[in-house]
Amino acid sequence: MNCFVFDIDGTLIDTAAVDQQSFQQALREFGYHYSLEELRFSFGMPGRKSLEKLAIPPERIEPVMARWETLSRDRLHEVEVYEGIIPLLEALHAAGKRCGIVTSRTRLQLGYGFTPLGLNHYFDAIVCADDVEHPKPAPDGLVECIRRLGGSAEQAVYIGDSAYDMQCAAAAGVKSALALWGSETPDALQADMRLAHPSELLLL
C-alpha cells in the first residue's frame, strides 16, 4: 500500500462525546429533544444530512448548524488525538508513503475543529464534504483524494470507524480498514481489515 487515507472523527481524533453532546444541546436550544442514543446515527455523517434525517425544517437547518459548530468549537480543548496516531503518521512518512484525509467535515469545521490540533502537515491531501458534489458514503471524496495523492485504488487503503467509511471505500474499490479504537458498533460493520491499534497499519 502506498496511499493511506484516513477519516478524522473516531479515527484520528476522539470527538464522539463532544460532537454528540454539542449536537444534542444545539437541538435542545431550538426545541428539539433527543437522547444521545437517538442521535448516535449522526456520528460521521455530514451535519446537514443528519438534520435532514431528523426532519428539521429547512429554514432552521443553518441556525442549528451554526449553534452546533459554536458549541463544538468551544469544547475543542476536550478533544484528544488517539494513542498511536502520531507515531503511525511519522512512520508512514519516513517510509515514503502518501497520506490523505477524506472527511464528512466541511472546510469550516476542519479549520476550527482539526487544524488547531497541529496534524495537517502529516497529510498530502485533505478532501472535505463540501469539496465534492456527493460526500460519504458516496465514493467521490475518496476517489478525488487518491487522485491528488497520485495513487490508485489498488494501492490505497481507507481507515475509518463508521459504516459510512466502509461503504465509501467499497464504492471506490478501495480496501477498507476499520479503526476498532473509535468504532462504536464494530460487530455490525463489514470491512476488509479490522485494526485493534494504529500501528497495525505498518504491516500492510
Side-chain angles (χ1 to χ4, degrees), residues 28-59:
R28 185 185 299 123
E29 290 179 8
F30 282 84
Y32 306 106
H33 298 273
Y34 295 94
S35 68
L36 290 174
E37 182 63 30
E38 290 173 316
L39 296 177
R40 181 175 295 182
F41 78 92
S42 68
F43 192 64
M45 179 184 290
R48 288 168 180 81
K49 182 179 289 187
S50 300
L51 291 168
E52 289 171 2
K53 282 188 172 292
L54 291 173
I56 303 302
E59 67 274 11

Side-chain angles (χ1 to χ4, degrees), residues 91-183:
L92 289 174
H93 273 283
K97 307 298 184 181
R98 304 278 285 173
C99 295
I101 283 175
V102 173
T103 177
S104 291
R105 287 175 177 255
T106 63
R107 281 282 158 184
L108 174 65
Q109 293 164 345
L110 180 83
Y112 72 70
F114 183 73
T115 299
L117 299 174
L119 301 181
N120 285 30
H121 68 282
Y122 287 113
F123 300 97
D124 305 292
I126 298 178
V127 179
C128 295
D130 49 356
D131 291 333
V132 292
E133 184 175 358
H134 304 290
K136 293 187 294 185
D140 303 31
L142 184 52
V143 170
E144 173 61 15
C145 187
I146 293 170
R147 185 193 69 78
R148 295 183 189 181
L149 294 175
S152 66
E154 294 75 22
Q155 297 173 305
V157 58
Y158 186 42
I159 306 99
D161 66 294
S162 73
Y164 310 112
D165 301 322
M166 302 302 102
Q167 292 164 9
C168 175
V174 171
K175 293 289 186 184
S176 59
L178 182 63
L180 296 175
W181 56 87
S183 181

